[in-house]
Amino acid sequence: MNNWFIDFFKNFTKSPIKICGFLVVILSFALLYSCQFHIPDYYISKTVADQIAQTVAPADVEKAVEHLINKKYLILNTIFQLWGLSLAVFLFTVIFKIKDFKHITNINVLNNKLFVYLWINLIYPVWGICYTFVYMQDITKYVYNGAADSLGIPFFTTIGMIISFGIIYYPSVNLLAFLTYNTKINRWIYNLFWGAFFALWLMFTLECSGYIFTYATPLLFLIYLIWFMLIIYAIGYKKKCKNLKTNQPESNP
């Protein structure tokens, strides 16, 4: 019996799919038991908070309703975010068939040029839609004074930001991918840009984790996770290919 348990535990801890799936199940039960998968309002009473918001200047609303912030929301939203992150990692391990931890360093498709170019060019609009949705859901959890700006302003500002960023994103990232996979330019030049791009996506990930959870959040986490792995593989691409070349046995004359 003990040997069976030890073998089961060893096999379980060696499988990222099983570990992540277990975390998803545990967090699912926790959310089902505590809130039936329903996120409570940001305020204890949004109606009261809204009434107070109409009696003060727009700039003073946040401080005036601070005492009405729902602590249960803060706790449950954190659990939801962890659930979404666990689900994203689980989906990543399933999609890329990561059966053991060693396989993480040997995901062949992440070195495939066609996959890289398709990902770079097709995922951006999907990311933009998800990001806009999550951001708008987050700002609507607050109350505002009636004299404050319309919510249409942050919506169109966000759309404008995504379009403007896209104008820079498409040529720069496609050029970066071309330099990485098709030239012999010194690695540090394009690795520097890949590192900056990694930091940018990390900033968006941290920002997303602080927003209210939506069912688009796990998709955003999955997008960020694939981006992180793709960048790591891109940084090590030339080195890996060089090692493969140098490790080949010499042919006998």
Side-chain angles (χ1 to χ4, degrees), residues 216-252:
T217 302
L219 179 56
L220 271 180
F221 281 142
L222 180 61
I223 291 172
Y224 294 140
L225 180 57
I226 295 176
W227 258 121
F228 292 144
M229 293 302 298
L230 189 147
I231 291 171
I232 292 171
Y233 269 69
I235 290 174
Y237 180 77
K238 290 292 184 181
K239 183 178 180 180
K240 181 175 181 181
C241 291
K242 184 178 180 181
N243 287 343
L244 289 174
K245 183 177 180 180
T246 57
N247 287 337
Q248 291 178 350
E250 295 182 0
S251 59
N252 294 324

Side-chain angles (χ1 to χ4, degrees), residues 106-145:
N106 192 31
I107 306 174
N108 293 329
V109 71
L110 294 181
N111 279 325
N112 185 291
K113 295 179 186 179
L114 178 60
F115 173 81
V116 172
Y117 283 114
L118 286 175
W119 175 264
I120 287 172
N121 290 285
L122 298 181
I123 202 60
Y124 186 80
V126 178
W127 169 79
I129 293 170
C130 291
Y131 177 83
T132 302
F133 176 77
V134 173
Y135 174 72
M136 292 305 300
Q137 288 294 113
D138 185 72
I139 64 176
T140 54
K141 74 185 180 186
Y142 302 106
V143 293
Y144 301 92
N145 184 282

Side-chain angles (χ1 to χ4, degrees), residues 19-37 75-76 78-87:
I19 294 174
C20 295
F22 179 73
L23 288 175
V24 171
V25 171
I26 292 297
L27 291 172
S28 296
F29 275 114
L31 291 171
L32 185 63
Y33 175 77
S34 59
C35 62
Q36 293 76 50
F37 269 92
I75 295 172
L76 289 176
T78 300
I79 299 175
F80 265 107
Q81 294 287 347
L82 292 173
W83 179 82
L85 180 59
S86 299
L87 180 60

Side-chain angles (χ1 to χ4, degrees), residues 183-204:
T183 70
K184 296 182 179 180
I185 297 175
N186 289 336
R187 294 185 52 80
W188 71 268
I189 296 176
Y190 49 78
N191 282 353
L192 181 65
F193 288 100
W194 281 123
F197 201 52
F198 187 98
L200 178 65
W201 286 125
L202 180 60
M203 179 190 71
F204 277 117

Side-chain angles (χ1 to χ4, degrees), residues 4-211:
W4 175 86
F5 178 77
I6 292 172
D7 291 339
F8 172 80
F9 183 76
K10 287 182 178 179
N11 291 331
F12 180 83
T13 55
K14 289 180 181 179
S15 173
I17 293 177
K18 293 178 181 178
I19 294 174
C20 295
F22 179 73
L23 288 175
V24 171
V25 171
I26 292 297
L27 291 172
S28 296
F29 275 114
L31 291 171
L32 185 63
Y33 175 77
S34 59
C35 62
Q36 293 76 50
F37 269 92
H38 174 73
I39 300 178
D41 287 338
Y42 183 73
Y43 301 105
I44 297 172
S45 174
K46 193 168 185 178
T47 302
V48 174
D50 185 63
Q51 291 173 350
I52 294 175
Q54 309 314 314
T55 64
V56 298
D60 298 328
V61 170
E62 183 178 355
K63 186 175 181 180
V65 299
E66 187 177 13
H67 64 287
L68 291 174
I69 294 177
N70 189 355
K71 293 181 179 179
K72 189 176 181 181
Y73 160 84
L74 299 176
I75 295 172
L76 289 176
N77 190 60
T78 300
I79 299 175
F80 265 107
Q81 294 287 347
L82 292 173
W83 179 82
L85 180 59
S86 299
L87 180 60
V89 178
F90 173 72
L91 291 174
F92 178 85
T93 59
V94 171
I95 292 170
F96 294 99
K97 300 178 181 179
I98 303 176
K99 298 179 181 179
D100 56 66
F101 286 98
K102 292 181 181 179
H103 189 205
I104 295 176
T105 60
N106 192 31
I107 306 174
N108 293 329
V109 71
L110 294 181
N111 279 325
N112 185 291
K113 295 179 186 179
L114 178 60
F115 173 81
V116 172
Y117 283 114
L118 286 175
W119 175 264
I120 287 172
N121 290 285
L122 298 181
I123 202 60
Y124 186 80
V126 178
W127 169 79
I129 293 170
C130 291
Y131 177 83
T132 302
F133 176 77
V134 173
Y135 174 72
M136 292 305 300
Q137 288 294 113
D138 185 72
I139 64 176
T140 54
K141 74 185 180 186
Y142 302 106
V143 293
Y144 301 92
N145 184 282
D149 294 333
S150 167
L151 290 177
I153 293 178
F155 173 76
F156 287 108
T157 299
T158 303
I159 295 297
M161 179 202 73
I162 291 172
I163 293 174
S164 300
F165 181 58
I167 294 173
I168 302 172
Y169 165 88
Y170 276 106
S172 60
V173 180
N174 276 281
L175 176 61
L176 187 56
F178 176 80
L179 294 177
T180 301
Y181 298 102
N182 299 281
T183 70
K184 296 182 179 180
I185 297 175
N186 289 336
R187 294 185 52 80
W188 71 268
I189 296 176
Y190 49 78
N191 282 353
L192 181 65
F193 288 100
W194 281 123
F197 201 52
F198 187 98
L200 178 65
W201 286 125
L202 180 60
M203 179 190 71
F204 277 117
T205 303
L206 295 175
E207 181 185 34
C208 177
S209 65
Y211 289 159

